[in-house]
Amino acid sequence: MGRALSLEVAGTIGLLTDEHDFRAMRQYRSFGFADFATYLNAVENLLGSRASQGAETMVAVFDPQEYADYCTDTGLAPDSASSRARFAAELATTGPTIPYDGQPLADLIPALVDEVLCRVTWEYASALLAELGACASCGEDIGRSAFAWASGLLVRILDTAARPGKRHLVCSVSTAPETLVATLHADTDPDGACQLDEDEALGFTTVLAVGLATRSPSGLVMRSSAPDTRDQVYGWRLHKGDFEPLTAGEVFDAYCIDADTGDLVSPESDVDYCAPPDLGPDATPPTHQH
């Protein structure tokens, strides 16, 4: 009965994702690993063991500086396995996590880091929208209005690829001090229903809304894939408040020219770089000009 009950207890493991963070944890005597490879191997064995027993395990990024701050705030001794366990439990409720389903750490770590970056980008973009406040003339909340417009625009963009299959979207917004980038993956069923991750869609829509609200130079590219057909890549730019389609040549340049060196990169086979379908007369977002 005890073994059966243990299968109903979910666990969270805080994972050190790089050697820099691993070296930071070696200052604690209770952290007994000598090298990063041995640590990763032990984590993978533990995850595999729990999975073989039917136990559910979530994995979160263990940040040593956040851990030190947590111990200071809570009065816990940082050089303690129980303190690390309590911090991992805290991550389960406050930080992004992904479930372990048997994938190797070589695949899990990049996916986990992407989750963290997505969360950070969404939080920063949300703060930017909130700072815009209300329109001085009409009183409308500019950030909320831009988010609503971005949500509708995203639906229309996803609908441009009428065929069933996979969609991969990338949105970039040039803001100071750095460019915001968000990605979105979606699958369209044969009956036309679109399946996507809600958190990923929220982050993507928020970043797009920042571009619309601030009229910052922005770009959005979508790649659609379907069985037994060539992939299609097309996109749009946001220029001075106008949502403009990219030409096929501009899409080709974006994919086939190295951004750092300017050198030509061989285009992928079975891919069409093309102009996007028309989004209709209402593609340009309304602006607060009074």
Side-chain angles (χ1 to χ4, degrees):
M1 293 301 296
R3 174 178 171 79
L5 186 60
S6 69
L7 299 181
E8 301 184 22
V9 179
T12 301
I13 291 179
L15 176 64
L16 300 167
T17 58
D18 58 50
E19 292 203 46
H20 177 270
D21 288 346
F22 176 81
R23 288 193 298 269
M25 291 302 295
R26 291 204 63 206
Q27 66 179 298
Y28 304 120
R29 295 183 61 185
S30 60
F31 184 77
F33 294 96
D35 62 85
F36 189 50
T38 301
Y39 165 77
L40 292 179
N41 186 61
V43 171
E44 195 154 29
N45 288 339
L46 176 59
L47 290 170
S49 175
R50 287 179 54 83
S52 67
Q53 298 170 18
E56 179 75 16
T57 307
M58 304 300 292
V59 184
V61 171
F62 192 106
D63 183 281
Q65 185 57 56
E66 291 183 4
Y67 171 65
D69 294 340
Y70 171 79
C71 290
T72 299
D73 294 339
T74 58
L76 294 174
D79 196 356
S80 167
S82 62
S83 296
R84 293 193 291 273
R86 288 186 59 176
F87 178 64
E90 183 77 10
L91 293 176
T93 60
T94 61
T97 60
I98 61 175
Y100 176 75
D101 56 10
Q103 70 271 48
L105 286 189
D107 297 331
L108 187 148
I109 289 177
L112 184 57
V113 172
D114 285 345
E115 283 288 321
V116 173
L117 291 177
C118 182
R119 170 70 70 89
V120 170
T121 299
W122 169 72
E123 290 177 348
Y124 180 67
S126 297
L128 290 179
L129 289 179
E131 290 174 357
L132 296 175
C135 174
S137 206
C138 70
E140 183 177 12
D141 187 290
I142 299 174
R144 186 176 295 114
S145 174
F147 185 87
W149 186 261
S151 299
L153 193 57
L154 176 58
V155 172
R156 298 172 74 169
I157 290 171
L158 288 171
D159 287 343
T160 61
R163 59 183 185 173
K166 298 182 180 297
R167 315 280 184 262
H168 177 69
L169 295 85
V170 179
C171 178
S172 62
V173 178
S174 297
T175 59
E178 61 185 32
T179 298
L180 293 176
V181 179
T183 60
L184 178 64
H185 302 81
D187 291 333
T188 301
D189 299 334
D191 60 1
C194 186
Q195 308 294 331
L196 46 80
D197 181 88
E198 292 184 2
D199 289 340
E200 197 176 50
L202 175 61
F204 188 92
T205 305
T206 305
V207 169
L208 178 58
V210 169
L212 297 174
T214 62
R215 303 180 61 146
S216 301
S218 311
L220 191 156
V221 175
M222 182 169 80
R223 178 171 183 158
S224 66
S225 306
D228 304 320
T229 62
R230 293 170 64 89
D231 286 7
Q232 292 183 340
V233 180
Y234 48 82
W236 299 262
R237 71 163 64 87
L238 186 65
H239 179 65
K240 294 182 178 179
D242 294 326
F243 207 66
E244 303 172 346
L246 297 173
T247 66
E250 289 171 329
V251 176
F252 179 88
D253 289 345
Y255 267 77
C256 302
I257 293 181
D258 189 290
D260 296 324
T261 65
D263 296 334
L264 183 66
V265 179
S266 298
E268 297 181 63
S269 60
D270 298 326
V271 175
D272 290 329
Y273 305 95
C274 47
D278 185 20
L279 292 177
D282 299 325
T284 299
T287 57
H288 288 265
Q289 294 178 351
H290 302 283

